[in-house]
Amino acid sequence: MHIHVISSVNEARTEELQHKTVIVIDVLRATSTMLTALANGCRTIVPVETVNQAKSMQGKDELLGGERFCKKIPGFDLGNSPLEYTSELVTGKTVIMTTTNGTRAIQKAAKASHILIGCMLNAAACARKAANLTGDIVIVCAGTQDVFALEDGLCAGLLIDELLRLHAAGAIRGNLTGPNAPAYVDDFGLAMLQAYRNVQDRLLDALLTCANGKRLTKIGFHDDVVHCAQTHVLDLAPMVRHGRLEA
Amino acid sequence: MHIHVISSVNEARTEELQHKTVIVIDVLRATSTMLTALANGCRTIVPVETVNQAKSMQGKDELLGGERFCKKIPGFDLGNSPLEYTSELVTGKTVIMTTTNGTRAIQKAAKASHILIGCMLNAAACARKAANLTGDIVIVCAGTQDVFALEDGLCAGLLIDELLRLHAAGAIRGNLTGPNAPAYVDDFGLAMLQAYRNVQDRLLDALLTCANGKRLTKIGFHDDVVHCAQTHVLDLAPMVRHGRLEA
């Protein structure tokens, strides 16, 4: 099992993701919001890059969701707060979604063999799904405006922790080099694993201390950070297929 | 006190380092070798970028040191192993030195207010010196071939740990915002701090597990890794002034 971690969407090169199992992480908040929406009954999420793309795709049964600069886009039905995506609003619906970093990371993974969507909420389920797919695993931390974001790094560490546990138990299907071959984690991944293990018992504190956690708290989204800091509460491992994300 | 950490020399932009106190780290092995040489009586180290530059500067009292692809450069007196730089060889001497990543990082910091050279060996002394200088602190991890190297990240974490301790004790001269102002560490720095704290009691193991540690062990430099994993054993905080490094 080979695991590589990319520190921000800007560092991700489409070629490096080709034929890989790619896990896209944007803990605060895009991938946490997508997972919450699907858990609350949303049928499909269509990630798109631009606001105009989103608007041009909207039919009468679709909701528009997303943000620019952490705020809801004028004319959109929903912002990027996971707590907005309630069962009442999203059950059975398709959400067309555009966010600053998360959607870009998904676009960059267009040539991957598989694209999984990960966050703290579904980390265990996401790791199990990745372990069942063949090929090297690349974890893409979306980051914020092309800069590394701690919460994504800690989530990468959490996923690696889960993957190494599965590897030790012989449960990695993609381990073409045999069950006894050592797992390879690149240096950046090792650093994220160590960082995660250092704060695993106080993840919420860590998320409230990082740049995005502070920014979101300041503009009234403290509860979003609390929600996104929960681990393993959703048993879903959604994949992007033909540009659509389904549970 | 503001602390930023740059993950590899490729990510360092000269403008971002301007007017800052810059600490350059290349634990395996350039900065560890420089520190060991100075501790063993070497008078001056002149870091240069190219092999030809080094050769053209050599007079009869100067030694040439450095590496390409972890190996000694043909015609040079010394390689990049700290253990080569014994008192017998280097006392009173000037060493003109070129390494793949460490020297490039120093060149990029040319417009900084101060350039300090750090490694595990002198981390406490280096942090104390940085705390006595004014201005924001930028820690540049040299990395390896433009990729993050774990040992540099862990050393950055160790330096931040020391700086935060000094800050809590009110011993940061550069703290223009007052002694009670909270220290600011960027997200990448926080991740490195957490990673360091997770492995601080088994740093040698961590260094033997990362890519450079494994590579060096494989080609016969296991003892170098053991040497470079020691913390706080050298009470030196050398600075680069007018292109020369002195104790």
Side-chain angles (χ1 to χ4, degrees), chain A residues 7 10-11 13 148-151 154 183-185 187-199 202 206 209-212 214, chain B residues 7 10-11 13 148-151 154 183-185 187-199 202 206 209-212 214:
Chain A
S7 60
N10 204 32
E11 298 294 307
R13 287 182 206 94
F148 170 77
L150 182 63
E151 67 277 13
L154 292 175
Y184 169 83
V185 182
D187 272 22
F188 191 74
L190 289 174
M192 296 305 108
L193 176 65
Q194 292 160 358
Y196 163 70
R197 285 180 174 168
N198 183 245
V199 297
R202 45 193 161 91
T209 316
C210 69
N212 281 326
K214 285 197 254 187
Chain B
S7 61
N10 203 32
E11 298 295 307
R13 287 182 205 93
F148 170 77
L150 181 63
E151 67 278 11
L154 292 176
Y184 169 83
V185 182
D187 271 23
F188 192 72
L190 289 174
M192 296 304 109
L193 176 65
Q194 292 160 357
Y196 163 72
R197 286 180 174 166
N198 183 245
V199 297
R202 45 194 162 90
T209 316
C210 69
N212 281 325
K214 284 198 255 186

Side-chain angles (χ1 to χ4, degrees), chain B residues 106-137:
Chain B
I106 294 171
Q107 306 285 347
K108 285 232 186 172
K111 291 182 182 174
S113 299
H114 311 282
I115 308 172
L116 288 160
I117 300 299
C119 59
M120 304 275 188
L121 303 167
N122 77 330
C126 183
R128 272 200 310 278
K129 174 73 87 70
N132 270 316
L133 301 166
T134 50
D136 292 350
I137 296 170

